[in-house]
Amino acid sequence: SHHEHEYYAIRNAAALIDISPLFKYRVAGRDATRLVDRVITRDAQSMSIGQVWYTPWCDEHGKVIDDGTIARLDEQLYRWTAADPSLRWLRQNAAGLDVEIEDVSEQVAALAIQGPTAARVLRAAAEADIESLRYFRATHGRIGGVPVDISRTGYTGDLGYEIWVEVERALEMWDALMAAGRPYDITPTGMLALDVARIEAGLILLDVDYVGARKAVIPSQKYSPFEIGLGKLVNLQKAPFIGQQALRREAAAGPARQLVGLDVDWDDLERLHDEAGLPPQLPVTASRVSVPVFRGGSQAGKATSSTWSPTLKKMIALATLESKSAAPGTKLEIEFTVNHERKRVGVTVAKLPFFDPPRKRA
């Protein structure tokens, strides 16, 4: 399949991915840091200029609205990315603060270059200090004469960078990167390949692995950061932020559910296909259809994203499970359809991420 070639570019070479559809906000003004700190679960006061943070933000009940990255570009200047429109939420919470929030989604284009040769491509293409750019840091530079911001971030769990540029000059920059990347097997890459990589990296996707709190219809659709693997990003000691009280209570009690990985038992899968007289089929695309996970006779949760991992040579899934079934090594079953019949196949709870190469942070 076509995107298999793209997937291998992410893991073996360099993939160029258009991430411009992200929502992007420019937060500036005397109280910019106060606003960021009021909204996110991490301690913005401790963030330095040139740092980029991945973070969730919550409603007053401690349920995650969305997750994204925030780059501190200057003393009181931030670039905030989100999967869903967030302007109203930011403005609502800026009441009484001296801060300007501008939706720059249409003015700023963003490209991700991801994979083991990504740094080499950028060294060839960019006038910027790529050598000393550390993981989750940002710098300025030029590519093909175009001024850009470059951050060492990405959604693949691999070595990678994201490049921010004004929309009018994005095509020039794309062309410059493609030209510089030719010796490094640079490949334009789309969502299908990205989906496989982000599942291997244990990275969640809004509307697939969780529902944003403001879109949720019933309480069970709302997730706290602790339930979707983002507990490490919650600072309960920092200055007050939205949802802090609720999250303190939850931290004390322990979360009801947890995000985990699942390793699918391939022998079991083969057996089910055998019984139906079929050869086992490797799925060519990642699935975003949620399926029940069982522990004995009762449901223990659901698997939300699953894929064949070409790198790990196994089927893997992201799942939300009740905490008592979430310990690594726990044997469970997931629903699996073979020849239009719903069956169950054995799975083992695994620690996330499935794939975490040292080059990502090196």
Side-chain angles (χ1 to χ4, degrees), residues 284-307:
V284 285
T285 52
S287 165
R288 297 180 175 185
V289 179
S290 86
V291 295
V293 178
F294 299 99
R295 182 173 190 164
S298 59
Q299 191 170 345
K302 58 185 184 294
T304 46
S305 295
S306 63
T307 186

Side-chain angles (χ1 to χ4, degrees), residues 45-307:
Q45 304 292 342
S46 71
M47 188 179 193
S48 46
I49 295 170
Q51 247 186 330
V52 185
W53 273 1
Y54 170 58
T55 182
W57 48 99
C58 297
D59 67 9
E60 59 279 19
H61 307 295
K63 303 302 184 193
V64 178
I65 293 172
D66 199 348
D67 63 294
T69 60
I70 300 177
R72 186 167 195 172
L73 302 176
D74 212 331
E75 192 53 49
Q76 293 293 356
L77 175 63
Y78 295 83
R79 183 181 38 244
W80 192 316
T81 70
D84 262 357
S86 307
L87 191 61
R88 267 190 59 206
W89 183 251
L90 296 179
R91 287 203 172 140
Q92 251 171 293
N93 289 298
L97 296 182
D98 177 4
V99 62
E100 210 170 290
I101 306 152
E102 192 189 346
D103 184 342
V104 294
S105 304
E106 301 298 324
Q107 286 97 65
V108 177
L111 281 183
I113 179 165
Q114 303 281 308
T117 65
R120 279 179 256 170
V121 176
L122 276 186
R123 283 201 290 267
E127 299 162 51
D129 188 0
I130 301 304
E131 286 304 314
S132 60
L133 186 59
R134 306 210 322 266
Y135 191 47
F136 271 89
R137 301 277 167 157
T139 187
H140 306 288
R142 300 178 98 80
I143 291 176
V146 182
V148 293
D149 286 334
I150 301 171
S151 56
R152 189 164 160 189
T153 48
Y155 193 52
T156 61
D158 218 304
L159 174 64
Y161 302 84
E162 290 172 331
I163 304 161
W164 311 83
V165 62
E166 59 180 271
V167 140
E168 294 73 30
R169 311 205 61 186
L171 285 176
E172 274 175 72
M173 193 194 61
W174 175 281
D175 292 342
L177 282 168
M178 285 300 291
R182 212 157 278 129
Y184 305 102
D185 198 18
I186 194 165
T187 306
T189 294
M191 194 60 217
L192 293 176
L194 187 57
D195 224 8
V196 175
R198 65 103 193 159
I199 295 168
E200 291 175 333
L203 300 170
I204 54 174
L205 183 57
L206 181 72
D207 294 335
V208 175
D209 302 303
Y210 78 102
V211 181
R214 305 183 66 220
K215 280 196 204 159
V217 183
I218 52 174
S220 69
Q221 289 179 334
K222 300 182 181 186
Y223 293 81
S224 79
F226 300 114
E227 294 179 314
I228 52 175
L230 306 183
K232 296 187 295 293
L233 307 179
V234 177
N235 185 328
L236 296 172
Q237 272 56 63
K238 64 172 263 198
F241 66 91
I242 304 157
Q244 188 176 36
Q245 288 313 104
L247 290 172
R248 280 189 175 142
R249 289 192 294 274
E250 187 182 1
R257 306 178 283 189
Q258 288 173 43
L259 179 83
V260 300
L262 299 176
D263 284 330
V264 178
D265 181 340
W266 189 253
D267 293 339
D268 212 20
L269 207 58
E270 279 196 318
R271 178 183 59 78
L272 289 180
H273 284 83
D274 262 0
E275 287 166 6
L278 290 168
Q281 289 277 293
L282 286 184
V284 285
T285 52
S287 165
R288 297 180 175 185
V289 179
S290 86
V291 295
V293 178
F294 299 99
R295 182 173 190 164
S298 59
Q299 191 170 345
K302 58 185 184 294
T304 46
S305 295
S306 63
T307 186

